[in-house]
């Protein structure tokens, strides 16, 4: 239930705020310290600390963040980033997410080659927090995949501050 409510609703980020006080944060990636290695495909993704020309004001990032909005091609750039594997040690994963509201621009959690969680934006440059329940994946190696397969308006993704959470 927690997974479903937070994954599909742009207005359901209040769930996280009740949990934070009882949980310990374990950073996965913030795009400032480069904890994971990323394998790029296509031309869409890069890290940035500011908006690109032609893009609206971005809110919700720390410093650097992943963006598929291209300074040259705008929303027309497509591609994906696949993270190096990491082990799930927490019970939840959260991240900041903005950009298009389409299954063609999304963040996926991949285990054994299968997508086990996915989320997308809210047609906004404001990065909202998403939460995935990953209790069933504890101890397993997973990867994150950032996908931009859209060339249309709002065909971009913004991602930052990916964190695992473990109960105290």
């Amino acid at each position: 239930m927690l997974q479903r409510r937070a994954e599909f609703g742009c207005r359901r980020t209040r769930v996280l705020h009740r949990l934070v006080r009882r949980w310990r944060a374990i950073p996965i990636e913030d795009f400032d310290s480069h904890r994971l290695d990323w394998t790029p495909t296509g031309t869409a993704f890069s890290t940035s600390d500011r908006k690109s020309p032609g893009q609206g004001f971005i809110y919700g990032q720390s410093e650097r963040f992943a963006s598929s909005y291209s300074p040259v091609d705008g929303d027309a750039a497509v591609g994906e980033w696949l993270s190096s594997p990491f082990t799930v040690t927490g019970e939840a994963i959260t991240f900041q997410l903005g950009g298009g509201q389409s299954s063609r621009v999304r963040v996926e959690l991949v285990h054994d080659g299968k997508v086990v969680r996915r989320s997308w934006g809210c047609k906004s440059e404001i990065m909202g927090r998403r939460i995935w329940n990953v209790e069933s994946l504890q101890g397993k190696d997973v990867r994150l995949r950032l996908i931009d397969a859209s060339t249309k308006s709002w065909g971009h993704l913004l991602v930052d501050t990916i964190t695992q959470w473990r109960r105290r």
Side-chain angles (χ1 to χ4, degrees):
M1 179 72 162
L2 178 64
Q3 157 73 27
R4 189 168 162 208
R5 287 180 65 193
E7 180 176 326
F8 294 110
C10 297
R11 292 165 278 166
R12 304 208 191 254
T13 58
R14 283 178 256 134
V15 173
L16 174 69
H17 298 290
R18 291 195 309 264
L19 300 174
V20 167
R21 292 184 295 267
R22 298 181 299 213
W23 294 41
R24 182 171 66 92
I26 305 160
I28 297 173
E29 179 66 90
D30 59 13
F31 302 101
D32 298 317
S33 52
H34 305 292
R35 291 179 172 91
L36 297 175
D37 292 322
W38 294 87
T39 304
T41 304
T43 60
F45 284 96
S46 64
T47 59
S48 180
D49 60 355
R50 68 181 73 83
K51 72 182 189 83
S52 293
Q55 186 176 23
F57 178 76
I58 297 170
Y59 178 78
Q61 78 278 13
S62 55
E63 290 178 26
R64 299 192 72 73
F65 57 94
S67 174
S68 70
Y69 190 91
S70 166
V72 176
D73 299 325
D75 282 327
V78 295
E80 69 178 54
W81 265 6
L82 181 64
S83 78
S84 55
F86 63 94
T87 304
V88 175
T89 58
E91 297 164 59
I93 291 177
T94 63
F95 50 95
Q96 296 291 101
L97 179 62
Q101 187 175 13
S102 162
S103 61
R104 297 185 56 78
V105 286
R106 63 191 182 275
V107 178
E108 296 178 340
L109 187 66
V110 179
H111 171 62
D112 284 341
K114 295 179 184 167
V115 177
V116 293
R117 303 286 185 278
R118 70 174 55 115
S119 293
W120 44 85
C122 295
K123 246 185 184 175
S124 174
E125 305 293 22
I126 299 172
M127 289 191 215
R129 193 165 306 243
R130 300 294 187 278
I131 182 170
W132 289 334
N133 181 333
V134 293
E135 239 176 319
S136 62
L137 297 167
Q138 283 183 319
K140 297 187 167 58
D141 287 338
V142 297
R143 291 175 176 241
L144 290 163
R145 183 166 41 209
L146 312 182
I147 297 174
D148 179 343
S150 176
T151 58
K152 296 182 178 179
S153 177
W154 286 104
H156 66 275
L157 194 64
L158 308 168
V159 181
D160 198 13
T161 317
I162 305 166
T163 307
Q164 293 190 63
W165 296 85
R166 185 182 311 155
R167 293 181 206 270
R168 293 185 186 262

